[in-house]
Amino acid sequence: MSSRRSRASVSEEEINELISRLQTLLPNARRRGGSQASTTKLLKETCSYIKSLHREVDDLSDRLSDLMSTMDHNSPGAEIIRSLLR
Amino acid sequence: MASTSSSTTPAAAEVEERGRKRKRADGAGSTAAGGAEAQPSKWRTRREHEIYSSKLLEAIRLVRAGSSSSSGSGATRGRAVREAADRALAVAARGRTHWSRAILASRRRRFQAVRRARLRAPATPPSRHNAAASAAATGQGSSAPPLAEKARMLGWLVPGCRRLSFPTLLEETTDYIEALQMQVRTMAALAEALSAISANSSSGGAGSSNSSAA
């Protein structure tokens, strides 16, 4: 089901719709009517956006792991966190 | 709506509260933009957010249990948290997307690869930049248009999507970006709540709900 390569492949219309859906997700969603931001540029923006999201997740993971380490100290806050994570 | 919060401490309530506030703000906007199928807005529902929050907490708990015995260096623990968060995200996708299946499948492979790497010299996985540079160098001369190059880079970024057709790749990317956005929101809310707790406790006010900017 993943590769439905019919003779005419997927119609260009569907591809354009998918691309526009993707475009609305990006932070710089310019909604000028019919502005054909070239697909190449769009894909490039998507790549850099995904990379920045990855970096954010990495930073947040580091922050969370640091916060976890504070749990090992005995303080009322650590108690709360520990009960959260129990 | 049965919110599956396991604890009733104010901190847990605050985490859910913050999540709900953010979801409300996003939910109002996304119902207008929600596509024909229910799938595009799947990652923006409050329910999904709650599911992911609880999975994330569980995953972090496991990481904590694991790291207390092994090395507790900051970098490895951060990466463990990241991988646990990714896995929780993939599980939340309920196996309907390529990238989620790839994340869950690759974890086992990576585990074995780490074991093998300990015996030999550390084998670095093909870094994206190297591969992208070499592909770009050959792409110009060959018949592949620059569009295909960008599409290929996208396929590298989204896990498990290197060999998909273009439209499928676009669908996967859309879903992946939405999932990542939810992941970032959830982890940020969790980190904020936890740091607010520890800041509060260190200053002496134990457990008072800190209603800073939500």
Side-chain angles (χ1 to χ4, degrees):
Chain A
M1 192 145 78
S2 57
S3 57
R4 256 185 309 169
R5 305 252 178 99
S6 60
R7 194 73 179 95
S9 90
V10 185
S11 78
E12 186 153 341
E13 221 174 86
E14 294 178 13
I15 292 192
N16 283 339
E17 186 191 321
L18 288 173
I19 291 184
S20 68
R21 251 175 42 186
L22 185 58
Q23 188 176 13
T24 62
L25 284 181
L26 298 184
N28 307 332
R30 334 184 193 102
R31 306 274 198 110
R32 302 182 208 142
S35 99
Q36 290 238 335
S38 82
T39 312
T40 316
K41 201 162 173 193
L42 196 68
L43 288 187
K44 191 166 157 186
E45 265 187 55
T46 309
C47 288
S48 56
Y49 185 50
I50 291 187
K51 280 190 231 169
S52 79
L53 283 178
H54 280 170
R55 270 198 306 264
E56 246 188 282
V57 171
D58 278 334
D59 287 341
L60 285 172
S61 317
D62 286 337
R63 213 171 131 197
L64 279 176
S65 72
D66 285 341
L67 283 173
M68 273 170 22
S69 69
T70 68
M71 282 189 324
D72 300 332
H73 306 150
N74 285 324
S75 69
E79 272 304 314
I80 297 182
I81 297 184
R82 257 181 250 135
S83 64
L84 241 191
L85 296 183
R86 193 178 310 280
Chain B
M1 175 169 60
S3 67
T4 60
S5 54
S6 53
S7 61
T8 53
T9 59
E14 178 165 321
V15 171
E16 302 282 346
E17 184 68 35
R18 253 174 235 237
R20 273 192 211 119
K21 278 188 193 153
R22 296 205 185 179
K23 276 301 126 186
R24 208 169 293 145
D26 288 331
S30 71
T31 46
E37 304 107 14
Q39 199 139 352
S41 48
K42 177 183 89 157
W43 290 107
R44 297 183 183 258
T45 61
R46 192 177 313 166
R47 181 74 185 130
E48 202 63 46
H49 181 89
E50 287 175 2
I51 293 179
Y52 183 60
S53 312
S54 47
K55 280 193 166 36
L56 186 60
L57 284 177
E58 274 186 47
I60 294 190
R61 178 173 23 115
L62 290 177
V63 168
R64 179 184 170 236
S67 76
S68 59
S69 50
S70 62
S71 71
S73 80
T76 51
R77 225 176 21 210
R79 201 177 315 144
V81 171
R82 161 88 200 264
E83 287 181 6
D86 283 345
R87 261 184 302 125
L89 192 66
V91 167
R94 287 189 270 275
R96 268 181 284 175
T97 51
H98 284 90
W99 61 264
S100 60
R101 292 195 285 263
I103 287 185
L104 295 176
S106 78
R107 188 190 171 242
R108 198 181 348 146
R109 259 181 259 140
R110 206 177 307 154
F111 189 57
Q112 296 169 349
V114 164
R115 211 182 288 168
R116 273 186 233 124
R118 285 212 188 114
L119 306 179
R120 309 178 196 167
T124 60
S127 84
R128 289 184 210 126
H129 290 292
N130 276 345
S134 63
T138 58
Q140 295 296 335
S142 75
S143 59
L147 180 61
E149 290 313 310
K150 297 290 183 292
R152 203 173 307 165
M153 271 185 61
L154 203 55
W156 278 321
L157 281 178
V158 184
C161 291
R162 282 183 219 177
R163 291 188 219 128
L164 297 182
S165 65
F166 191 57
T168 317
L169 179 60
L170 288 181
E171 281 184 26
E172 291 283 320
T173 306
T174 314
D175 194 74
Y176 187 55
I177 289 187
E178 281 190 328
L180 280 183
Q181 287 172 341
M182 186 194 76
Q183 184 180 29
V184 164
R185 277 195 295 258
T186 315
M187 291 176 74
L190 189 58
E192 261 191 62
L194 287 184
S195 63
I197 292 175
S198 48
N200 250 355
S201 73
S202 65
S203 67
S208 61
S209 67
N210 201 2
S211 62
S212 50

